[in-house]
Amino acid sequence: MSEYGRCDICGKKSFRLRRKYYAYGFPCECCGRNGHYEVVRYCEKCKPQEPKWTRVVMGADVAEKLGMLWKEQHNGRSNR
């Protein structure tokens, strides 16, 4: 299936964009319990590349638990 839009790799507009899905093994509130995923739309001339960044929606309670887990795994150090 193809669609019209801008290529995420080169930025050119195309009527033949393809999609590649990258799945991540953690649940989120934006994608559901089956795991977070990102979609990359790319033109015929480009090869799909995994995104360097991803945005995840999660509840504040989950974010707090994740922060505590991070500190526990990294000896109390923050990631900043």
Side-chain angles (χ1 to χ4, degrees), residues 70-71 77-80:
W70 177 274
K71 286 182 180 180
R77 288 177 287 150
S78 174
N79 62 344
R80 293 181 183 225

Side-chain angles (χ1 to χ4, degrees), residues 66-80:
L66 185 60
M68 289 187 307
L69 180 62
W70 177 274
K71 286 182 180 180
E72 183 180 297
Q73 293 289 323
H74 295 89
N75 300 321
R77 288 177 287 150
S78 174
N79 62 344
R80 293 181 183 225

Side-chain angles (χ1 to χ4, degrees), residues 12 15 23 37 40 57-58:
K12 293 182 182 176
F15 282 100
Y37 67 89
V40 173
V57 176
M58 66 179 74

Side-chain angles (χ1 to χ4, degrees), residues 38-75:
E38 292 289 326
V39 180
V40 173
R41 292 166 181 85
Y42 61 100
C43 67
E44 296 175 326
K45 296 179 182 179
C46 295
K47 291 183 181 180
Q49 300 171 6
E50 186 170 9
K52 293 180 182 179
W53 299 94
T54 183
R55 293 181 186 248
V56 180
V57 176
M58 66 179 74
D61 58 332
V62 175
E64 187 175 342
K65 289 177 187 175
L66 185 60
M68 289 187 307
L69 180 62
W70 177 274
K71 286 182 180 180
E72 183 180 297
Q73 293 289 323
H74 295 89
N75 300 321

